[in-house]
Every structure is written in C-alpha cells, then in structure tokens.
Amino acid sequence: VLVGIAVERRQPKGFGRARMASLPDASGQSLRTFLADHVEPGATVVTDGWISYRPATSGYRHEPIVGAGQELPGVHRVAALAKRWLLGTHQGSVDEAHLPDYLNEFVFRFNRRTARHRGLLFLRLLELAVAHEPVRYTDLVASHDLPRQRQPVPPGTTGHPISIERASAGRPWRTSPDLHSSG
C-alpha cells in the first residue's frame, strides 16, 4: 500500500498541516492527482528526487533534495507518527479498504494538535455529524457481502461461552469456612 504525504513547512522552523492519502501506484499521474487535491497550485514542492515527481510537479515550484541525511523531516515524522498510531491504537489490524478513513482521522488529529480552543473541536465534530447523511453498518464494513471465514461456536450446555468453561482451580481458601476456623 502506497501513501502520499504532504507536510506544510513553517519558516523559520516547524511543521504546519499535513495531508495523507492512499495511492494506487507511484506513477507521475497518481502523484499529480495527489498534489492537485492537497497542495495549492504554485506552491513549492520539496521532494526526494524520485523520477515520477518530474511530470507530477508541473505547475509547482519543484525542489528535489537528493543525498541529504534527513531529506524530508516533516514527511518522515508524520509517517513515523502515523505508523506508531496505527500499530498502537489499532494494533496493526487495519484493513486496506479502511486505510483512507484511518489516514483522514490521523490527519484530523495531527492538524489540530496545537488548537487553542478545544471546545471548537467538539463543535466542529457535532456540525459534521448533524450535516452528514446517516452511516449504516453495511456502509462501514468493507466486506459486508462476503461470508464469514469461520462460523461462531455456540455456547456449551451451561450457557457460558466455551472459552470460560473449565475445571475448578482448586483453591483451598474458597472451600468451606469451617475448615479455616480457629478454635
């Protein structure tokens, strides 16, 4: 899975907003589409010098940086944070069909990391929820029309799931209180 990452550089130092999107391939056309969707026309685009950027950056000021130790620190930092977030929060269990939504959530959180008015975050989230069409379960599940690979096992005779049915642990302190009386 390829992911396009754009990070705004602040002068004299620091990073501004970020944008991320999954890409079908690393061709100039895919990169051109990503830039058109996420970068203002005429902006300076700093890249690592990959050959596909040459046709993709027409209409932008292109600065290829090749051979530097830390070529694109903003992109590397955002990529590392996104990987850590996906591995930590989602335990690495990210379906490819849902990756664009996860990337959008990460970008939303990253871009609001320095927000001074946290209450506005809730207000914006509420506005989006009210203005958005209802989302149904079948819309969220990417593979809702595929059958399950493994059917669930019905509970045993006790009504408890099989995972908690086991023999007694044999704890003597949980037996009759008469055995522990001091007399």
Side-chain angles (χ1 to χ4, degrees):
V1 175
L2 296 173
V3 175
I5 302 173
V7 180
E8 179 182 30
R9 290 195 315 185
R10 294 222 172 118
Q11 297 300 334
K13 66 177 188 173
F15 307 118
R17 295 168 297 178
R19 298 287 186 260
M20 298 174 83
S22 52
L23 302 175
D25 53 36
S27 68
Q29 182 58 40
S30 294
L31 294 171
R32 176 79 182 148
T33 303
F34 175 76
L35 289 174
D37 290 344
H38 300 287
V39 180
E40 190 71 29
T44 300
V45 176
V46 180
T47 69
D48 60 359
W50 177 259
I51 195 152
S52 294
Y53 284 116
R54 195 172 299 146
T57 55
S58 63
Y60 298 94
R61 186 167 166 251
H62 184 215
E63 286 184 22
I65 299 175
V66 182
Q70 181 76 336
E71 295 169 349
L72 304 169
V75 171
H76 291 292
R77 178 167 297 166
V78 168
L81 288 171
K83 286 179 188 178
R84 187 62 24 216
W85 180 71
L86 288 170
L87 288 172
T89 302
H90 300 287
Q91 300 294 307
S93 178
V94 176
D95 189 50
E96 191 173 332
H98 296 295
L99 182 62
D101 295 325
Y102 287 127
L103 294 176
N104 285 339
E105 181 182 353
F106 175 80
V107 166
F108 178 83
R109 291 170 182 266
F110 182 84
N111 290 343
R112 282 150 189 85
R113 70 194 182 280
T114 58
R116 291 191 178 112
H117 304 288
R118 297 287 177 162
L120 288 179
L121 176 65
F122 178 73
L123 177 65
R124 297 288 177 253
L125 187 61
L126 193 57
E127 286 176 349
L128 288 171
V130 170
H132 197 277
E133 289 294 318
V135 179
R136 290 168 178 69
Y137 178 75
T138 56
D139 299 331
L140 293 175
V141 179
S143 58
H144 60 84
D145 54 344
L146 299 175
R148 286 185 175 183
Q149 298 295 330
R150 183 175 56 99
Q151 294 297 322
V153 178
T157 58
T158 62
H160 297 294
I162 293 173
S163 61
I164 62 172
E165 285 183 358
R166 57 182 156 203
S168 175
R171 298 181 181 108
W173 59 89
R174 290 196 177 174
T175 59
S176 169
D178 298 339
L179 298 176
H180 299 288
S181 61
S182 60

